[in-house]
Amino acid sequence: MVAFDLSTVAQVFGHPAEEEYTFAVATPDGDDVMTSSGFSIGAVHDLDALAHARTIIIPGYRPHHRPHDDTLRALRNAYQRGTRVASVCTGAFALAATALLDGLTATTHWQDAGELQRLYPEITVQPDVLYVDHGQVATSAGVAAGIDLCLHLVRRDLGERVAARIARRMVVPPHRAGGQAQYIEPAAAPTTHGFAELTDWIVDHLEQSLSVADLARHTHLSERQLARRFVAETGQTPLQWILHQRVLAARRLLENSSLPMDVIAQRTGLGTASTLRRHLRREIDVTPTTYRRTFHAD
């Protein structure tokens, strides 16, 4: 088992000072499991623990052997009961063996995507995204992308406020969209500090109409240079990144204010309530009214 993948899940869902989730580790026979780093994980449960889980997350492992039939059966039975089943990194090989991903898109570490596609041709493997969420089944890419998926699941369960609090504790970005690239080539000239200032400026001016030309003027770059370097550093085009920030800001206002939808849309630069509704549905498949009813801080 990949130790980092398990620790990622434990950090998000198993922190002893946070009460939103309970957390346990299970192995097929309840025995200790060896990690790829050379130490073992003990104090684990057996497969009976899966019967009580509302979410099961499979960490990465090597080699990518097909799990025993008892394990696959337990995962499929949990899914049929309505349990959410997800994988981090090469945990996708175990999830794929259950056939729960057949006919769906999925991802894993980009270095292992070709092998996953070859072994499980019924799946459409996307090697260039951070995570793929189909609702009851989800997969993430490797290493830090597991954090992104786990925070995404928290955001779905409990809203932006709780996910942001956990992200702050872990000292990681609160939200990277699943469609971002796994591996980003470095810019010819690193501009991280300048772009940190730019992205802060964007977030402070979301109510304005922002174009690539506006960003280029702010950074004293040409539009072409700005666009190329922005993608290299964030994995998204400037306009994609801005839209994502507008939706995140709208979610925070839905959670923490009673402002009318039109006002929220105007303050976040989305313009109208109908535009807010369209983009929120596209990102998380709920209406603003439903999101506020579920996550509003009373």
Side-chain angles (χ1 to χ4, degrees), residues 137-265:
V137 62
T139 54
S140 88
V143 198
I147 300 174
D148 297 302
L149 174 61
C150 290
L151 289 174
H152 166 75
L153 297 179
V154 172
R155 193 173 295 106
R156 275 184 47 194
D157 292 345
L158 302 169
E160 180 69 28
R161 186 161 42 91
V162 175
R165 187 197 73 215
I166 294 173
R168 283 194 299 272
R169 170 175 59 75
M170 296 177 63
V171 199
V172 296
H175 194 183
R176 293 196 298 169
Q180 285 185 229
Q182 282 194 45
Y183 180 74
I184 303 171
E185 292 286 352
T191 55
T192 303
H193 183 270
F195 274 79
E197 188 276 332
L198 173 63
T199 53
D200 288 344
W201 180 83
I202 292 171
V203 171
D204 289 339
H205 295 81
L206 288 176
E207 76 283 358
Q208 300 178 13
S209 176
L210 299 172
S211 66
V212 173
D214 295 328
L215 307 188
R217 280 192 296 271
H218 188 79
T219 54
H220 306 292
L221 296 171
S222 71
E223 292 183 35
R224 184 175 179 180
Q225 286 176 316
L226 180 283
R228 184 178 69 251
R229 294 184 183 181
F230 200 96
V231 170
E233 293 195 15
T234 70
Q236 294 178 293
T237 68
L239 296 184
Q240 286 172 335
W241 193 90
I242 291 170
L243 177 58
H244 184 57
Q245 297 305 310
R246 294 190 196 282
V247 174
L248 287 179
R251 289 170 67 170
R252 287 191 288 271
L253 288 174
L254 288 169
E255 292 180 17
N256 298 300
S257 79
S258 298
L259 293 171
M261 301 300 175
D262 281 331
V263 174
I264 291 176

Side-chain angles (χ1 to χ4, degrees), residues 40 71 89 115 125 127 131 136 138 155 162 165 173 189-190 210 227 235 248 258 268 283:
S40 62
T71 302
C89 194
E115 181 185 359
V125 178
Y131 57 84
Q136 199 185 339
R155 193 173 295 106
V162 175
R165 187 197 73 215
L210 299 172
L248 287 179
S258 298
T268 57
E283 282 219 5

Side-chain angles (χ1 to χ4, degrees), residues 43 49 58 62 94 109 119 141 160 195 238-239 278 284 289:
I58 308 166
R62 291 184 183 280
H109 194 289
L119 291 176
E160 180 69 28
F195 274 79
L239 296 184
R278 181 172 72 253
I284 56 174
T289 301

Side-chain angles (χ1 to χ4, degrees), residues 56-186:
I56 298 169
I57 301 181
I58 308 166
Y61 66 98
R62 291 184 183 280
H64 306 144
H65 293 155
R66 175 185 172 89
H68 293 156
D69 288 343
D70 288 347
T71 302
L72 298 178
R73 189 178 307 111
L75 291 169
R76 284 192 290 263
N77 288 343
Y79 179 87
Q80 290 167 3
R81 290 192 301 270
T83 298
R84 179 170 59 193
V85 185
S87 64
V88 173
C89 194
T90 55
F93 285 84
L95 188 52
T98 66
L100 296 177
L101 292 173
D102 287 4
L104 301 177
T105 54
T107 193
T108 187
H109 194 289
W110 61 272
Q111 290 181 322
D112 301 288
E115 181 185 359
L116 183 65
Q117 186 67 82
R118 178 178 57 81
L119 291 176
Y120 299 98
E122 302 84 1
I123 303 169
T124 301
V125 178
Q126 294 184 299
D128 55 353
V129 298
L130 294 179
Y131 57 84
V132 180
D133 180 16
H134 292 286
Q136 199 185 339
V137 62
T139 54
S140 88
V143 198
I147 300 174
D148 297 302
L149 174 61
C150 290
L151 289 174
H152 166 75
L153 297 179
V154 172
R155 193 173 295 106
R156 275 184 47 194
D157 292 345
L158 302 169
E160 180 69 28
R161 186 161 42 91
V162 175
R165 187 197 73 215
I166 294 173
R168 283 194 299 272
R169 170 175 59 75
M170 296 177 63
V171 199
V172 296
H175 194 183
R176 293 196 298 169
Q180 285 185 229
Q182 282 194 45
Y183 180 74
I184 303 171
E185 292 286 352

